[in-house]
C-alpha cells in the first residue's frame, strides 16, 4: 500500500516499487485463514489455517499478519 503514496521529493520518484502477484480472491468466496495470503510473498501454510487479528504496530498503525 505504501508504494502508491505520492512522493514529494523528485529525487525519490524513480524508486523500485513492489508489484503484487498472485490471485485476487473473490469477495464471495474468501480464502481460509488470512484473506491476503493468495497475494502475499511471505505466506506459509499457517496463513491458510489462521486468520490474523489486528495488533498495534506502532503509535499510528495496526497490522493483521502472523509474520509481523
Amino acid at each position: 500500500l505504501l508504494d502508491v503514496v505520492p512522493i514529494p521529493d523528485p529525487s525519490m520518484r524513480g524508486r523500485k516499487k513492489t508489484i503484487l502477484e498472485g490471485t485476487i480472491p473473490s469477495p464471495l468466496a474468501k480464502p481460509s485463514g488470512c484473506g491476503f495470503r493468495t497475494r502475499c510473498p511471505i505466506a506459509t501454510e499457517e496463513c491458510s489455517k489462521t486468520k490474523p487479528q489486528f495488533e498495534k504496530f506502532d503509535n499510528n498503525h495496526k497490522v493483521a499478519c502472523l509474520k509481523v
Side-chain angles (χ1 to χ4, degrees), residues 52-65:
Q53 300 299 312
F54 277 100
E55 296 180 21
K56 190 173 183 178
F57 183 71
D58 62 25
N59 288 335
N60 299 314
H61 301 91
K62 290 183 178 182
V63 64
C65 181

Side-chain angles (χ1 to χ4, degrees), residues 13-68:
R13 289 190 183 148
R15 78 184 195 280
K16 185 178 178 181
K17 295 184 178 187
T18 303
I19 307 281
L20 291 176
E21 297 180 6
T23 306
I24 299 172
S26 166
L28 300 176
K30 293 181 182 181
S32 61
C34 177
F36 186 68
R37 70 177 172 81
T38 59
R39 300 191 74 198
C40 180
I42 61 170
T44 63
E45 188 166 333
E46 180 185 11
C47 300
S48 68
K49 297 176 183 176
T50 307
K51 183 176 179 178
Q53 300 299 312
F54 277 100
E55 296 180 21
K56 190 173 183 178
F57 183 71
D58 62 25
N59 288 335
N60 299 314
H61 301 91
K62 290 183 178 182
V63 64
C65 181
L66 301 171
K67 303 298 171 191
V68 177

